[in-house]
Amino acid sequence: MTTPLSGKVALVAGATRGAGRQIAVQLGAAGATVYCTGRTTRTQQSEYQRPETIEDTAELVTAAGGTGIAIQADHLDPEQVRGVVERIDAEQRRLDVLVNDIWGGEGSFAWDKPLWEDDLERGLRLLRRQVETHVITSHAALPLLVRKPGGLVVEMTDGTAEYNAQRYRVSFFYDLAKASVLRMAFALAHELEPHGATAVALTPGWMRSEVMLEHYGVTEDTWHDVTEPHFVMSESPVYVGRAVAALAADPDVARWNGRSLSSGGLAQEYGFTDADGSRPDWWRYDAEVMTPGRPADPTGYR
């Protein structure tokens, strides 16, 4: 097993489950030391009341070949986030990769309900958890990341800049949140470039997170049983995890500075696959097959 990230230190903010968990694991598989933050621990759950914990994620990182370290933190609390970064500084004296994957928005948005009919407090909570958390985390962590050249910031979102620019995404608050994260990566790219660091926005495709598998009543072994035809193009969280690991190991990662990227697009560039050996290209499939209303057919798209 190659370990191109041996000696590198990463912070995956929002590593409890889903994309964040597998991003942490795949960084660990490449040899990195990964700090895994989130609100749910083995002794304290978030309001999601889900079983996944940051300790579980850290153990998976270590089992994959890296060093996983779990720290409970609410990324809406600047003091807690500063504490995370101070600990990383004290223990490692460096930060090479920051992944802003904080979401916390499940149940905080309506589907296709106009702004004036939506729940205002719920919508503002979504913006706080998707936008404010990313700002707080970057504000605390970037002074450590820019201490050495070569740092990477990955802003996780839903949809590429090109795709989202042409489509209304779910609701006013959801659309605004995802567009804001895309713009964050663009703005950070300009501010980080003089320090030799890189910022990108990254989106998975239709991802089979724990929540999504539970929604359809399937597992990672039985997901093909879902009757929704376009689910045949879904991807596991491993895919976007490998995308982040590939970016972090690329000595020429600065060529992506400020760009909006996807797991499928990076798979074509770097040659990695999803856990099943395929290379789903969800956003091209969505634009060419699903949105035009064509019958589901993954041929040529994975």
Side-chain angles (χ1 to χ4, degrees):
M1 180 181 295
T2 59
T3 54
L5 299 181
S6 179
K8 301 293 187 180
V9 178
L11 166 59
V12 180
T16 312
R17 62 185 66 85
R21 168 169 284 188
Q22 275 301 322
I23 289 168
V25 170
Q26 297 307 317
L27 288 169
T33 294
V34 186
Y35 285 80
C36 310
T37 63
R39 293 178 297 161
T40 298
T41 70
R42 289 172 180 164
T43 59
Q44 184 176 351
Q45 288 185 319
S46 73
E47 75 278 6
Y48 276 11
Q49 296 296 301
R50 290 198 55 83
E52 302 88 10
T53 71
I54 54 171
E55 293 97 336
D56 295 339
T57 300
E59 289 180 359
L60 289 169
V61 171
T62 301
T67 301
I69 301 167
I71 307 178
Q72 185 182 31
D74 183 341
H75 285 262
L76 271 174
D77 185 333
E79 184 176 350
Q80 290 187 39
V81 178
R82 283 194 295 270
V84 170
V85 176
E86 287 169 1
R87 177 172 166 182
I88 296 172
D89 190 7
E91 294 177 354
Q92 309 294 337
R93 308 305 299 174
R94 65 186 297 157
L95 179 63
D96 303 284
V97 180
L98 168 63
V99 181
N100 272 324
D101 186 54
I102 313 109
W103 166 229
E106 299 298 337
S108 293
F109 58 91
W111 287 88
D112 300 319
K113 181 176 285 189
L115 169 63
W116 59 93
E117 294 179 4
D118 208 343
D119 184 289
L120 179 61
E121 182 52 40
R122 182 177 65 175
L124 292 175
R125 185 167 63 248
L126 172 66
L127 293 179
R128 294 185 192 110
R129 290 180 173 176
Q130 171 79 124
V131 179
E132 190 174 328
T133 55
H134 288 224
V135 174
I136 289 169
T137 305
S138 290
H139 188 271
L142 291 182
L144 180 55
L145 184 134
V146 300
R147 193 178 292 171
K148 299 176 183 290
L152 171 66
V153 178
V154 180
E155 288 287 343
M156 296 298 298
T157 188
D158 174 23
T160 64
E162 179 183 14
Y163 183 92
N164 287 4
Q166 302 171 38
R167 292 167 177 83
Y168 166 72
R169 299 303 312 279
V170 181
S171 71
F172 174 89
F173 290 109
Y174 188 95
D175 193 295
L176 180 58
K178 299 307 180 180
S180 296
V181 175
L182 284 162
R183 191 66 187 185
M184 259 188 248
F186 178 82
L188 284 175
H190 284 267
E191 297 184 355
L192 290 172
E193 187 174 18
H195 301 276
T198 299
V200 300
L202 177 61
T203 180
W206 190 352
M207 191 178 67
R208 297 190 301 274
S209 65
E210 297 90 345
V211 172
M212 185 59 64
L213 291 172
E214 186 175 279
H215 171 76
Y216 281 114
V218 294
T219 68
E220 188 56 37
D221 293 325
T222 64
W223 67 270
H224 285 285
D225 296 338
V226 173
T227 56
E228 157 60 58
H230 296 292
F231 202 62
V232 72
M233 273 299 298
S234 65
E235 61 194 59
S236 81
V238 169
Y239 201 40
V240 76
R242 289 175 174 171
V244 174
L247 287 168
D250 184 354
D252 191 28
V253 70
R255 64 194 163 118
W256 302 112
N257 197 33
R259 297 275 298 277
S260 166
L261 308 170
S262 69
S263 50
L266 289 178
Q268 299 301 320
E269 178 73 22
Y270 290 111
F272 62 84
T273 66
D274 200 350
D276 64 359
S278 68
R279 290 195 180 99
D281 191 355
W282 169 260
W283 297 104
R284 185 168 64 89
Y285 175 88
D286 184 301
E288 298 177 4
V289 179
M290 193 170 83
T291 297
R294 294 169 53 194
D297 183 359
T299 303
Y301 294 96
R302 69 175 309 147

